[in-house]
Amino acid sequence: MSLTTPTVAATGTPTEPRSIPTKRPFKFSRWFAATGWRHLVGIVMVVFSVFPLLYVLSASFNPNGTLLQSNGLFSAFGLDNYVDLFNTPEQPYAAWFVNTLVIGLTTAIGTVFLGALAAYCFSRMRFVGRRFGLMSLLIVQIFPQLLAVVAIFLLLTTLGDIFPILGLDNQIALILVYLGGALGVNTYLMYGFFNTVPSSLDEAAKLDGAGHARIFFTIILRLVAPILAVVGLLSFIATTSDFVIASVVLVSPERQTLAVGLYQFVSQEFSSNWGVFAAGAVLAAIPVMALFLYLQKYIVSGLTAGAVK
Amino acid sequence: MQTSTEKSPETTPQVAESKRQKRAARIADHASGSITALLIKIGMLAVVDAIAVYGLFVLFLRQDWVIFAVVLLVTIAINVIYFKRGLLPLKYLAPGLVFLLIFQIFVVGYTAYISFTNYGTGHNSTKEDAVSSLIQSAQYRVPDSPTYGLTVVEQLGAFSFLVTDPDGDVLIGNTETPLTEVSDAEMSGDKAVSLPGYTSLNFTDIVTNQDAIAAMTVQISDDPNDGALRTPDGSSAYLYLSTLAYDEAADTMTNTETGVVYSDTGNGAFTSEDGEELLPGWSVVIGAENYLTAFTDQSIRGPLIAVTTWTFLFAILSVATTFMLGLFLAVVFNDMRMRGRKFYRVLMILPYAFPGFLGALVWAGMLNKDFGFVNLALLGGAEIPWLTNEWLAKFSILFVNLWLGFPYMFLVCTGALQSIPDELQEAAKMDGASPWQVFRRIKFPLLLVSVAPLLISSFAFNFNNFNLIYMLTNGGPRDASASINVGGSDILISMVYKVAFVGANRDYGLASAFSIIIFVIVAIIAIVSFRQTKALEDLN
């Protein structure tokens, strides 16, 4: 489909800010050529985007609860699936939810802190090996932790024999593994943003007698708060949706995260567990989606600002 | 884009500092440190050191010298970094570096090491463990053997056997240590019932722990060939001998019934002359065998090549489809005259906000062949095997990834389009360019400049998009001709996971070899694309 022609653009509709508000007879063909077809595209895309979400919402409220019976959208209503979700011992949903939040938040805070320390260092200090360090961070990222999952598993098996707290089936061990990826892309995003804070601020503070630690904690960290929020959120999302490492490290059901627990629950008996899974998915998605929509402007700007240098 | 990205990369020009300036800086630095900050620093280091000392103590007792040395070095390094003057950059880098070194760099090296071993099911411990578990697994009760009086005792959560042998001697032992004679046991009749320092188990305790107690074997002496005691009831023990005898000098296992001799041939298992292996074995370094298997064994090489091809195709097509749809929508909705653009935008980015693994699972339900919404409600009962036919599965993966990924591209392209100044478009219009020409010649190239890095990172993300594949199709349909657990829609990373962790036969060594192969592939791509984009040039 071609874009609008210049004549249409020049005459415009009443919403065009620069147009002179003269009354014009409404002509459907002109309206359709200018913006009407865009609404058609929009409606098709909205149906495509929203339909699966409506489907899962409907399935979660369908008391019959099997995959087959979920096909009648909003044909029946009941909260049975939500009740089952919290009352079945073999699928400790509440524990999964809490675990996911705790692991995700701890990892996010740790990642932001470690990344910010490194980014401050790379942005403000000049030292031997700085360029090499920045480059190494890029290169290390080529090998994602996912690929080393076997080694992580065996490492934690060995460590667990000595210090149970660092072994398999321990959430602290999992958080430490995630923090291994704290430097890297995150440091890059933050490094770019730190560079936009004028260093004359640091120098002024230094003249007033502030040390590096005080400059970092009380001045810089406040000025770069937006990027800290973005990195924290990205890290939280990445952690909560990780399946591979979490499924290898966390063994017992009550220690697992939502991604591992829900997958294993629904994969056992795909069809008959569907309603309860749908309820679990709705509850898991709502907080993430709310946070995401609230912060979407920052996420997009953070992503593009970090990538476009 | 939205945030200011215009900045000079060089923030502070390097100025040679004179001696006096350095001294002044040092004094200023010193004067600024408050007492509280110092106390916090010392407090945190004290915590780190305390944990380290505890760890070193445990490691010393266990005689794990390699880990001992690593912990010692790291602790010393941390103390030097934070107590010595100077080394300021390291003070900021060290916390992140410690994690990076252990959980990213070390594990890569460890992966490489594992890829040269036969680590996996049946080969996951030391030779010593393998010998004792082989002997235990072949144990049988010696007919007409004497009865040993038994009291199960417990110390610090571990059970031991307190036995009175037929001669009246009292001995104690557990699964770790063989029987040794004790003298201060309290007797009841001619059976020892308790020992100072240990708690005797009563009947209820024995019933509660019967599985653990029934599984215990306590060696009679240091030599495993002498046999071991086991108890069926918790009150008397019998001698068990093994049909396998270990000859330490010759390093062979002999089956005492058949007389077959199994010897260590270097493959990590006792092997008889006609090639029969006794399992469990132990893990040994086997050189490049895993790599050779990956490249020469037809039943593995075929799937490996197919999976690699599909991984590339999947990553490229995912980026292409999502980018095209996202760009198209960005152009369509980037018209100021259109009403309700915000409304459309919010609804369209919902799939991006929905957690990805849940999205894949929801689609797995909707595309289910027998009960799914798409077949039953949309297509009126058609039985289309969306996820179980190889080609349809690949199509479904791309389709679902389009659903998951187009909002991101839409957002990014909208941002990029809006950052292109309007004047360019006006000027082109003045010169008589058609809207298509404006887009094709001016907007698109400008947009591509700012979006290209995101496309590359999107490619990298999809190259390892484990969740989508595993949750949607589980990699299926299973390739029956392959000797490893791999399916028609598996990508490299899901294949590694399945070889290592799914099913009864786990092959850590082969999975690690696959990891290293992927690493080499990705590294080559990365080097080439770095050269192309010269991304490293603006690092300074």
Side-chain angles (χ1 to χ4, degrees), chain A residues 4 15-16 38-39 48 51 68 71 126 130-131 143 145 147 153 180 209 211-212 241 244 247 274 305, chain B residues 3 11 14 32 88 92 103-104 332 335 337 339 344 371 373 376 403 435 466-467 497 508 515 519 539-540:
Chain A
T4 53
T15 50
E16 174 84 19
R38 294 166 201 266
H39 289 283
F48 176 57
F51 181 75
L68 180 65
N71 288 331
R126 293 293 175 271
R130 174 174 168 276
R131 203 185 136 81
F143 197 97
Q145 271 187 323
L147 281 178
F153 170 74
H212 60 86
S241 57
V244 180
S247 74
W274 192 249
Chain B
T3 54
T11 46
Q14 191 83 37
S32 70
L88 193 55
Y92 281 88
F103 291 110
Q104 197 119 36
V332 169
D335 188 316
R337 292 164 303 169
R339 285 165 195 254
Y344 287 118
F371 312 115
F373 187 86
L376 284 188
W403 184 79
F466 175 90
N467 277 8
Y497 182 84
Y508 301 138
S515 281
F519 173 56
L539 298 180
N540 41 24

Side-chain angles (χ1 to χ4, degrees), chain B residues 476-510:
Chain B
R478 170 88 198 251
D479 180 351
S481 67
S483 60
I484 48 173
N485 184 2
V486 61
S489 59
D490 261 320
I491 56 173
L492 287 163
I493 185 76
S494 64
M495 182 177 73
V496 168
Y497 182 84
K498 281 160 83 174
V499 168
F501 297 109
V502 179
N505 197 14
R506 301 170 164 204
D507 198 335
Y508 301 138
L510 187 64

Side-chain angles (χ1 to χ4, degrees), chain A residues 34-122:
Chain A
T35 59
W37 66 275
R38 294 166 201 266
H39 289 283
L40 267 188
V41 175
I43 289 163
V44 170
M45 287 316 295
V46 164
V47 170
F48 176 57
S49 311
V50 174
F51 181 75
L53 304 177
L54 282 182
Y55 166 82
V56 73
L57 192 67
S58 141
S60 77
F61 286 124
N62 192 324
N64 297 319
T66 68
L67 187 55
L68 180 65
Q69 283 149 333
S70 303
N71 288 331
L73 288 185
F74 298 105
S75 57
F77 184 86
L79 292 174
D80 308 34
N81 290 326
Y82 289 89
V83 175
D84 285 352
L85 194 58
F86 289 98
N87 289 319
T88 323
E90 55 274 18
Q91 129 255 329
Y93 185 81
W96 294 343
F97 206 98
V98 174
N99 293 343
T100 309
L101 278 184
V102 170
I103 294 174
L105 285 177
T106 321
T107 309
I109 293 170
T111 302
V112 165
F113 184 64
L114 297 181
L117 285 174
Y120 174 64
C121 172
F122 281 124

